[in-house]
Amino acid sequence: YSPSAGNAWVQMPLDGHAPSARCHHSSCNTGEILLIYGGDATTTMHAFDFARNIWFGLPEPNFDPRSYHRLIALPCGDICVLGGANKTNDSVTVHVGWLYAAAEGEVNSEEIDKVGSWSRMRGLQHKDELVCISPSDDLVCFGPTCIRRKDVGGEWHSDDVPDPCMRRMAYKACVCSESVFFLPTTKNRWTGVDFVEYSFSNKTFYQNDSMHGWPPWREDCSFVASANSLYIFAGSAGGGCLNDLWQLRSTEEPRRWTAVSNNTAGVPVPRCGHSAAVQGDGMYIYSGWDHTETHKDFHMFSVCLNAWFQMPLRGIIPVGRHHHSAVAHAQSMYMFGGVN
């Protein structure tokens, strides 16, 4: 999707070694290429060159196949594949690889370090996001009992995770300001006590025991940050789906979740399994489903205007889908894969 192309969707070419169809994969933007790895149907890794509009295949990583994992590009050039689950083994191991000269298509990948493991992660029900980049460009990996930090000099450091902050088995994570926030997605943990913040500067966990306005429980929602605010949108809640939007301003005290008014015309219908990508002032939502119907619509929430807008579907319009991936790059949004 590109505003510079008349706010239209453009079907990107499948020239070169394009990925096969898949879902529950991971993707990340390295600045020059879009990386796609894993998923239910395959263990391969592929890259899309933004400048040349061409796909090329990368050497297959030499660790267990997985889905529901996280793929992240580090400023130093490392590519980290973390967590996830496969259909034959509930034990999940962290792997770190190195990416060489990706823009020229000369890529070698090798496993260079194992930084921890998480066992008995409930297989495909576990949707982990256990890795992030701190404001000082450290790689931070969060496990049930230990935090491992890799600084810009390549040195690993360990910090204990205090009880009861250690049981982070089913959650989403989002970096906002100087902290990473953990959102639980299991119904018995959907409380302010289990909504945990980790401060990069203080290297300390904070529980939000006194948080006000906690949103209703949901899973398969989106959880993103824009400016100094966190946003939860939609999701599945037992017998049906939701379409409410909640905001938390991370710099305000006391912390409070507030429902964003849904009285504008462009509010998406209830859904889950959608994608959310933040670009400039906007949070862009595409597709998703309500357990019966797969939606084929495109919406933008303007942070400045505090309002929803339904975006026009122009160009070569993607089919409706859910459990796909989306990343923002330059002035565009790139989307791949999913189920319809």
Side-chain angles (χ1 to χ4, degrees):
Y1 171 77
S2 176
S4 62
N7 286 324
W9 286 95
V10 179
Q11 173 71 63
M12 303 307 292
L14 293 177
D15 298 338
H17 299 278
S20 59
R22 65 191 68 193
C23 64
H24 302 139
H25 56 284
S26 60
S27 62
C28 72
N29 178 7
T30 71
E32 297 177 332
I33 61 174
L34 166 67
L35 286 175
I36 300 288
Y37 173 66
D40 287 350
T42 181
T43 62
T44 57
M45 180 178 283
H46 296 261
F48 179 78
D49 189 317
F50 291 120
R52 295 185 292 173
N53 284 345
I54 191 170
W55 287 97
F56 52 91
L58 308 185
E60 189 168 325
N62 59 344
F63 45 80
D64 294 340
R66 62 194 67 200
S67 55
Y68 293 115
H69 51 289
R70 184 81 184 271
L71 181 69
I72 194 166
L74 311 186
C76 63
D78 284 354
I79 300 298
C80 181
V81 178
L82 180 70
N86 58 52
K87 296 180 179 179
T88 58
N89 186 1
D90 286 339
S91 179
V92 180
T93 303
V94 179
H95 300 273
V96 177
W98 193 271
L99 182 69
Y100 298 96
E104 284 71 38
E106 304 245 345
V107 181
N108 294 300
S109 178
E110 61 178 320
E111 181 184 357
I112 61 171
D113 197 4
K114 291 184 178 180
V115 298
S117 62
W118 288 263
S119 61
R120 304 303 302 171
M121 281 213 175
R122 296 186 177 276
L124 292 175
Q125 296 179 10
H126 177 71
K127 305 173 179 62
D128 61 60
E129 296 189 2
L130 299 174
V131 63
C132 61
I133 304 299
S134 74
S136 60
D137 288 342
D138 289 354
L139 166 66
V140 185
C141 301
F142 294 89
T145 61
C146 180
I147 303 171
R148 300 295 300 270
R149 293 179 292 107
K150 184 180 183 183
D151 60 31
V152 292
E155 295 293 324
W156 283 102
H157 309 273
S158 296
D159 300 312
D160 291 335
V161 178
D163 186 80
C165 297
M166 62 177 56
R167 294 181 293 274
R168 304 270 73 84
M169 288 298 186
Y171 61 87
K172 293 179 177 289
C174 186
V175 177
C176 185
S177 301
E178 296 290 319
S179 299
V180 57
F181 292 83
F182 296 93
L183 178 73
T185 58
T186 53
K187 192 170 186 178
N188 63 332
R189 288 190 171 278
W190 187 264
T191 65
V193 175
D194 282 294
F195 180 67
V196 176
E197 173 189 358
Y198 177 80
S199 169
F200 291 116
S201 57
N202 299 332
K203 297 181 175 60
T204 303
F205 277 97
Y206 298 95
Q207 288 182 279
N208 293 275
D209 309 60
S210 57
M211 179 170 292
H212 302 284
W214 188 245
W217 170 76
R218 80 272 320 275
E219 59 184 350
D220 234 356
C221 57
S222 55
F223 181 48
V224 299
S226 179
N228 292 318
S229 291
L230 296 163
Y231 292 91
I232 297 173
F233 174 66
S236 174
C241 291
L242 305 169
N243 69 335
D244 52 346
L245 177 65
W246 292 78
Q247 178 188 24
L248 182 143
R249 294 181 172 88
S250 64
T251 55
E252 291 186 0
E253 295 292 344
R255 294 276 173 75
R256 177 186 295 273
W257 283 101
T258 56
V260 178
S261 174
N262 273 1
N263 60 2
T264 54
V267 179
V269 298
R271 68 194 61 210
C272 65
H274 53 281
S275 62
V278 175
Q279 178 67 270
D281 166 52
M283 177 181 70
Y284 292 86
I285 302 293
Y286 189 77
S287 207
W289 74 319
D290 58 12
H291 300 296
T292 301
E293 177 185 358
T294 300
H295 302 295
K296 185 181 177 180
D297 52 1
F298 188 38
H299 298 260
M300 187 267 283
F301 176 77
S302 171
V303 173
C304 291
L305 299 177
N306 208 41
W308 284 100
F309 298 91
Q310 182 158 5
M311 307 299 290
L313 288 173
R314 299 171 179 158
I316 302 176
I317 302 167
V319 298
R321 64 195 66 203
H322 55 90
H323 295 101
H324 50 288
S325 63
V327 299
H329 173 72
Q331 298 300 313
S332 300
M333 183 178 82
Y334 291 78
M335 184 174 64
F336 181 79
V339 182
N340 68 9

Short mmCIF file of all heavy atoms in Angstrom, two decimals, residues 186-229:
data_model
loop_
_atom_site.label_atom_id
_atom_site.label_comp_id
_atom_site.label_asym_id
_atom_site.label_seq_id
_atom_site.Cartn_x
_atom_site.Cartn_y
_atom_site.Cartn_z
N THR A 186 -3.91 -14.64 28.06
CA THR A 186 -4.73 -15.71 28.62
C THR A 186 -5.74 -15.11 29.59
O THR A 186 -5.43 -14.15 30.32
CB THR A 186 -3.87 -16.76 29.35
OG1 THR A 186 -3.05 -16.10 30.32
CG2 THR A 186 -3.00 -17.51 28.36
N LYS A 187 -6.95 -15.66 29.61
CA LYS A 187 -8.05 -15.04 30.35
C LYS A 187 -7.77 -14.96 31.84
O LYS A 187 -8.11 -13.97 32.50
CB LYS A 187 -9.34 -15.81 30.09
CG LYS A 187 -10.59 -15.09 30.57
CD LYS A 187 -11.84 -15.77 30.06
CE LYS A 187 -13.09 -14.97 30.42
NZ LYS A 187 -14.31 -15.60 29.90
N ASN A 188 -7.13 -15.98 32.40
CA ASN A 188 -6.90 -15.98 33.85
C ASN A 188 -5.78 -15.02 34.25
O ASN A 188 -5.57 -14.79 35.44
CB ASN A 188 -6.57 -17.39 34.34
CG ASN A 188 -5.29 -17.94 33.75
OD1 ASN A 188 -4.91 -17.57 32.64
ND2 ASN A 188 -4.64 -18.83 34.47
N ARG A 189 -5.05 -14.45 33.29
CA ARG A 189 -3.99 -13.50 33.61
C ARG A 189 -4.31 -12.09 33.10
O ARG A 189 -3.46 -11.20 33.16
CB ARG A 189 -2.66 -13.96 33.02
CG ARG A 189 -2.07 -15.15 33.75
CD ARG A 189 -0.64 -15.41 33.28
NE ARG A 189 0.00 -16.40 34.12
CZ ARG A 189 0.56 -16.15 35.28
NH1 ARG A 189 0.57 -14.92 35.75
NH2 ARG A 189 1.11 -17.10 35.99
N TRP A 190 -5.51 -11.88 32.56
CA TRP A 190 -5.86 -10.58 32.00
C TRP A 190 -6.20 -9.62 33.12
O TRP A 190 -7.33 -9.26 33.39
CB TRP A 190 -7.03 -10.75 31.03
CG TRP A 190 -7.37 -9.51 30.26
CD1 TRP A 190 -8.32 -8.58 30.56
CD2 TRP A 190 -6.77 -9.05 29.04
NE1 TRP A 190 -8.36 -7.58 29.62
CE2 TRP A 190 -7.41 -7.85 28.68
CE3 TRP A 190 -5.74 -9.54 28.23
CZ2 TRP A 190 -7.06 -7.13 27.54
CZ3 TRP A 190 -5.40 -8.83 27.09
CH2 TRP A 190 -6.06 -7.65 26.76
N THR A 191 -5.17 -9.17 33.84
CA THR A 191 -5.33 -8.24 34.95
C THR A 191 -4.21 -7.22 34.92
O THR A 191 -3.17 -7.43 34.27
CB THR A 191 -5.30 -8.95 36.32
OG1 THR A 191 -3.98 -9.51 36.52
CG2 THR A 191 -6.33 -10.07 36.39
N GLY A 192 -4.41 -6.13 35.64
CA GLY A 192 -3.36 -5.12 35.73
C GLY A 192 -2.10 -5.65 36.38
O GLY A 192 -1.00 -5.20 36.07
N VAL A 193 -2.23 -6.62 37.29
CA VAL A 193 -1.06 -7.18 37.96
C VAL A 193 -0.15 -7.86 36.95
O VAL A 193 1.08 -7.81 37.06
CB VAL A 193 -1.49 -8.17 39.05
CG1 VAL A 193 -0.28 -8.86 39.67
CG2 VAL A 193 -2.29 -7.46 40.12
N ASP A 194 -0.72 -8.51 35.95
CA ASP A 194 0.08 -9.22 34.96
C ASP A 194 0.45 -8.35 33.75
O ASP A 194 1.10 -8.83 32.83
CB ASP A 194 -0.66 -10.47 34.49
CG ASP A 194 -0.56 -11.59 35.51
OD1 ASP A 194 0.56 -12.09 35.72
OD2 ASP A 194 -1.58 -11.94 36.10
N PHE A 195 0.00 -7.11 33.71
CA PHE A 195 0.46 -6.17 32.70
C PHE A 195 1.73 -5.54 33.24
O PHE A 195 1.70 -4.67 34.09
CB PHE A 195 -0.61 -5.13 32.42
CG PHE A 195 -0.22 -4.11 31.37
CD1 PHE A 195 -0.05 -4.49 30.06
CD2 PHE A 195 -0.02 -2.80 31.72
CE1 PHE A 195 0.30 -3.56 29.09
CE2 PHE A 195 0.33 -1.86 30.77
CZ PHE A 195 0.50 -2.25 29.45
N VAL A 196 2.87 -6.01 32.75
CA VAL A 196 4.16 -5.70 33.36
C VAL A 196 4.98 -4.80 32.45
O VAL A 196 4.98 -4.96 31.23
CB VAL A 196 4.94 -7.01 33.66
CG1 VAL A 196 6.31 -6.71 34.22
CG2 VAL A 196 4.14 -7.86 34.64
N GLU A 197 5.67 -3.87 33.07
CA GLU A 197 6.57 -2.96 32.35
C GLU A 197 8.01 -3.25 32.78
O GLU A 197 8.29 -3.46 33.95
CB GLU A 197 6.22 -1.51 32.68
CG GLU A 197 7.20 -0.49 32.14
CD GLU A 197 6.95 0.91 32.66
OE1 GLU A 197 5.97 1.08 33.43
OE2 GLU A 197 7.72 1.82 32.32
N TYR A 198 8.91 -3.27 31.79
CA TYR A 198 10.34 -3.41 32.09
C TYR A 198 11.04 -2.14 31.61
O TYR A 198 11.00 -1.79 30.43
CB TYR A 198 10.94 -4.63 31.39
CG TYR A 198 12.43 -4.77 31.60
CD1 TYR A 198 12.93 -5.32 32.78
CD2 TYR A 198 13.34 -4.38 30.63
CE1 TYR A 198 14.29 -5.45 32.99
CE2 TYR A 198 14.70 -4.51 30.82
CZ TYR A 198 15.17 -5.05 32.00
OH TYR A 198 16.53 -5.18 32.20
N SER A 199 11.69 -1.43 32.53
CA SER A 199 12.38 -0.19 32.22
C SER A 199 13.81 -0.50 31.77
O SER A 199 14.58 -1.13 32.49
CB SER A 199 12.42 0.73 33.45
OG SER A 199 13.31 1.80 33.23
N PHE A 200 14.15 -0.07 30.54
CA PHE A 200 15.51 -0.29 30.04
C PHE A 200 16.53 0.49 30.86
O PHE A 200 17.63 0.01 31.14
CB PHE A 200 15.62 0.14 28.58
CG PHE A 200 14.86 -0.75 27.63
CD1 PHE A 200 13.80 -0.26 26.90
CD2 PHE A 200 15.21 -2.08 27.47
CE1 PHE A 200 13.12 -1.06 26.01
CE2 PHE A 200 14.52 -2.89 26.60
CZ PHE A 200 13.48 -2.39 25.88
N SER A 201 16.19 1.72 31.25
CA SER A 201 17.14 2.57 31.96
C SER A 201 17.42 2.07 33.37
O SER A 201 18.56 2.07 33.84
CB SER A 201 16.65 4.01 31.99
OG SER A 201 15.36 4.08 32.59
N ASN A 202 16.35 1.61 34.08
CA ASN A 202 16.53 1.13 35.45
C ASN A 202 16.78 -0.37 35.54
O ASN A 202 17.10 -0.89 36.60
CB ASN A 202 15.29 1.47 36.29
CG ASN A 202 15.05 2.95 36.38
OD1 ASN A 202 15.98 3.73 36.29
ND2 ASN A 202 13.80 3.34 36.53
N LYS A 203 16.57 -1.09 34.41
CA LYS A 203 16.68 -2.55 34.37
C LYS A 203 15.82 -3.17 35.48
O LYS A 203 16.25 -4.04 36.24
CB LYS A 203 18.13 -3.00 34.49
CG LYS A 203 19.00 -2.54 33.33
CD LYS A 203 20.42 -3.03 33.46
CE LYS A 203 21.23 -2.67 32.23
NZ LYS A 203 21.29 -1.21 31.99
N THR A 204 14.58 -2.69 35.55
CA THR A 204 13.67 -3.06 36.63
C THR A 204 12.29 -3.35 36.07
O THR A 204 11.83 -2.67 35.15
CB THR A 204 13.58 -1.93 37.67
OG1 THR A 204 14.89 -1.64 38.16
CG2 THR A 204 12.68 -2.33 38.84
N PHE A 205 11.61 -4.37 36.65
CA PHE A 205 10.22 -4.67 36.33
C PHE A 205 9.30 -3.86 37.22
O PHE A 205 9.57 -3.65 38.40
CB PHE A 205 9.93 -6.15 36.53
CG PHE A 205 10.33 -7.02 35.38
CD1 PHE A 205 11.53 -7.69 35.38
CD2 PHE A 205 9.49 -7.17 34.28
CE1 PHE A 205 11.90 -8.50 34.33
CE2 PHE A 205 9.85 -7.97 33.23
CZ PHE A 205 11.06 -8.64 33.24
N TYR A 206 8.17 -3.45 36.65
CA TYR A 206 7.13 -2.77 37.42
C TYR A 206 5.80 -3.44 37.14
O TYR A 206 5.43 -3.63 35.98
CB TYR A 206 7.05 -1.29 37.04
CG TYR A 206 8.30 -0.51 37.34
CD1 TYR A 206 9.26 -0.32 36.34
CD2 TYR A 206 8.54 0.01 38.60
CE1 TYR A 206 10.42 0.38 36.60
CE2 TYR A 206 9.70 0.72 38.87
CZ TYR A 206 10.64 0.90 37.87
OH TYR A 206 11.79 1.60 38.13
N GLN A 207 5.09 -3.80 38.20
CA GLN A 207 3.73 -4.31 38.04
C GLN A 207 2.75 -3.17 38.21
O GLN A 207 2.96 -2.26 39.01
CB GLN A 207 3.44 -5.39 39.08
CG GLN A 207 4.16 -6.70 38.81
CD GLN A 207 3.79 -7.73 39.84
OE1 GLN A 207 4.34 -7.74 40.94
NE2 GLN A 207 2.87 -8.60 39.48
N ASN A 208 1.69 -3.22 37.39
CA ASN A 208 0.72 -2.13 37.39
C ASN A 208 -0.48 -2.50 38.26
O ASN A 208 -1.61 -2.60 37.77
CB ASN A 208 0.30 -1.82 35.95
CG ASN A 208 1.45 -1.26 35.14
OD1 ASN A 208 1.71 -0.07 35.15
ND2 ASN A 208 2.17 -2.13 34.44
N ASP A 209 -0.22 -2.69 39.56
CA ASP A 209 -1.26 -3.14 40.48
C ASP A 209 -2.42 -2.15 40.57
O ASP A 209 -3.57 -2.55 40.72
CB ASP A 209 -0.67 -3.33 41.89
CG ASP A 209 0.57 -4.19 41.89
OD1 ASP A 209 1.55 -3.81 41.23
OD2 ASP A 209 0.56 -5.23 42.57
N SER A 210 -2.11 -0.87 40.49
CA SER A 210 -3.14 0.15 40.71
C SER A 210 -3.67 0.73 39.40
O SER A 210 -4.25 1.81 39.40
CB SER A 210 -2.57 1.27 41.57
OG SER A 210 -1.42 1.83 40.96
N MET A 211 -3.47 0.03 38.29
CA MET A 211 -3.92 0.55 37.00
C MET A 211 -5.44 0.66 36.95
O MET A 211 -6.16 -0.19 37.45
CB MET A 211 -3.42 -0.33 35.87
CG MET A 211 -3.85 0.15 34.49
SD MET A 211 -3.01 -0.75 33.19
CE MET A 211 -1.35 -0.15 33.43
N HIS A 212 -5.92 1.72 36.30
CA HIS A 212 -7.35 1.97 36.18
C HIS A 212 -7.82 1.65 34.76
O HIS A 212 -7.06 1.73 33.80
CB HIS A 212 -7.67 3.43 36.51
CG HIS A 212 -7.23 3.84 37.88
ND1 HIS A 212 -7.91 3.48 39.02
CD2 HIS A 212 -6.17 4.57 38.29
CE1 HIS A 212 -7.29 3.98 40.08
NE2 HIS A 212 -6.23 4.65 39.67
N GLY A 213 -9.11 1.32 34.64
CA GLY A 213 -9.74 1.20 33.34
C GLY A 213 -9.26 0.03 32.50
O GLY A 213 -9.14 0.16 31.28
N TRP A 214 -8.99 -1.12 33.13
CA TRP A 214 -8.46 -2.26 32.38
C TRP A 214 -9.46 -2.73 31.33
O TRP A 214 -10.62 -2.94 31.62
CB TRP A 214 -8.15 -3.38 33.36
CG TRP A 214 -7.42 -4.54 32.77
CD1 TRP A 214 -7.88 -5.80 32.64
CD2 TRP A 214 -6.11 -4.54 32.22
NE1 TRP A 214 -6.94 -6.61 32.04
CE2 TRP A 214 -5.83 -5.85 31.77
CE3 TRP A 214 -5.12 -3.57 32.03
CZ2 TRP A 214 -4.63 -6.21 31.16
CZ3 TRP A 214 -3.93 -3.93 31.44
CH2 TRP A 214 -3.70 -5.23 31.02
N PRO A 215 -9.03 -2.89 30.05
CA PRO A 215 -9.97 -3.28 28.99
C PRO A 215 -10.53 -4.68 29.21
O PRO A 215 -9.93 -5.49 29.91
CB PRO A 215 -9.09 -3.25 27.72
CG PRO A 215 -7.88 -2.46 28.09
CD PRO A 215 -7.66 -2.67 29.54
N PRO A 216 -11.67 -5.00 28.58
CA PRO A 216 -12.19 -6.37 28.64
C PRO A 216 -11.20 -7.35 28.02
O PRO A 216 -10.46 -7.00 27.10
CB PRO A 216 -13.48 -6.29 27.82
CG PRO A 216 -13.84 -4.85 27.78
CD PRO A 216 -12.55 -4.10 27.83
N TRP A 217 -11.22 -8.60 28.51
CA TRP A 217 -10.30 -9.61 28.01
C TRP A 217 -10.51 -9.89 26.53
O TRP A 217 -11.61 -9.87 26.01
CB TRP A 217 -10.48 -10.92 28.80
CG TRP A 217 -9.72 -12.05 28.17
CD1 TRP A 217 -8.38 -12.26 28.23
CD2 TRP A 217 -10.25 -13.10 27.37
NE1 TRP A 217 -8.03 -13.39 27.52
CE2 TRP A 217 -9.17 -13.93 26.98
CE3 TRP A 217 -11.54 -13.43 26.93
CZ2 TRP A 217 -9.33 -15.05 26.18
CZ3 TRP A 217 -11.71 -14.55 26.13
CH2 TRP A 217 -10.61 -15.35 25.77
N ARG A 218 -9.38 -10.16 25.84
CA ARG A 218 -9.41 -10.62 24.46
C ARG A 218 -8.08 -11.27 24.13
O ARG A 218 -7.07 -11.07 24.82
CB ARG A 218 -9.72 -9.47 23.49
CG ARG A 218 -8.59 -8.52 23.10
CD ARG A 218 -8.38 -7.32 24.02
NE ARG A 218 -9.54 -6.68 24.52
CZ ARG A 218 -10.22 -5.71 23.87
NH1 ARG A 218 -9.84 -5.31 22.68
NH2 ARG A 218 -11.26 -5.13 24.44
N GLU A 219 -8.07 -12.07 23.05
CA GLU A 219 -6.85 -12.63 22.50
C GLU A 219 -6.84 -12.36 21.00
O GLU A 219 -7.84 -11.93 20.44
CB GLU A 219 -6.75 -14.13 22.78
CG GLU A 219 -7.90 -14.94 22.21
CD GLU A 219 -7.81 -16.41 22.59
OE1 GLU A 219 -6.77 -16.82 23.13
OE2 GLU A 219 -8.78 -17.14 22.33
N ASP A 220 -5.69 -12.61 20.36
CA ASP A 220 -5.58 -12.39 18.91
C ASP A 220 -5.87 -10.94 18.55
O ASP A 220 -6.41 -10.65 17.47
CB ASP A 220 -6.51 -13.32 18.14
CG ASP A 220 -5.76 -14.11 17.08
OD1 ASP A 220 -4.55 -13.87 16.91
OD2 ASP A 220 -6.38 -14.96 16.42
N CYS A 221 -5.53 -10.02 19.44
CA CYS A 221 -5.70 -8.59 19.19
C CYS A 221 -4.40 -8.02 18.63
O CYS A 221 -3.40 -8.72 18.50
CB CYS A 221 -6.08 -7.87 20.47
SG CYS A 221 -4.88 -8.08 21.81
N SER A 222 -4.39 -6.73 18.29
CA SER A 222 -3.15 -6.06 17.95
C SER A 222 -2.73 -5.19 19.12
O SER A 222 -3.56 -4.66 19.86
CB SER A 222 -3.31 -5.22 16.67
OG SER A 222 -4.38 -4.31 16.79
N PHE A 223 -1.41 -5.04 19.28
CA PHE A 223 -0.84 -4.30 20.40
C PHE A 223 0.36 -3.54 19.86
O PHE A 223 1.39 -4.13 19.55
CB PHE A 223 -0.43 -5.29 21.50
CG PHE A 223 0.16 -4.65 22.74
CD1 PHE A 223 -0.44 -3.58 23.36
CD2 PHE A 223 1.32 -5.16 23.31
CE1 PHE A 223 0.09 -3.01 24.50
CE2 PHE A 223 1.86 -4.62 24.46
CZ PHE A 223 1.24 -3.54 25.06
N VAL A 224 0.20 -2.22 19.64
CA VAL A 224 1.24 -1.43 19.00
C VAL A 224 1.46 -0.14 19.79
O VAL A 224 0.65 0.23 20.65
CB VAL A 224 0.88 -1.08 17.54
CG1 VAL A 224 0.72 -2.35 16.70
CG2 VAL A 224 -0.40 -0.24 17.47
N ALA A 225 2.56 0.55 19.46
CA ALA A 225 2.88 1.83 20.09
C ALA A 225 2.98 2.91 19.03
O ALA A 225 3.45 2.67 17.91
CB ALA A 225 4.19 1.73 20.86
N SER A 226 2.52 4.10 19.38
CA SER A 226 2.68 5.27 18.53
C SER A 226 2.95 6.46 19.45
O SER A 226 2.19 6.70 20.39
CB SER A 226 1.43 5.53 17.69
OG SER A 226 1.58 6.68 16.89
N ALA A 227 4.06 7.16 19.17
CA ALA A 227 4.49 8.25 20.04
C ALA A 227 4.69 7.68 21.46
O ALA A 227 5.38 6.70 21.64
CB ALA A 227 3.51 9.40 20.01
N ASN A 228 4.03 8.24 22.46
CA ASN A 228 4.16 7.77 23.84
C ASN A 228 2.94 7.00 24.32
O ASN A 228 2.71 6.90 25.52
CB ASN A 228 4.43 8.94 24.79
CG ASN A 228 5.78 9.57 24.56
OD1 ASN A 228 6.77 8.86 24.37
ND2 ASN A 228 5.85 10.89 24.58
N SER A 229 2.18 6.45 23.39
CA SER A 229 0.96 5.74 23.75
C SER A 229 0.98 4.31 23.26
O SER A 229 1.60 4.00 22.23
CB SER A 229 -0.28 6.45 23.19
OG SER A 229 -0.51 7.69 23.81
#
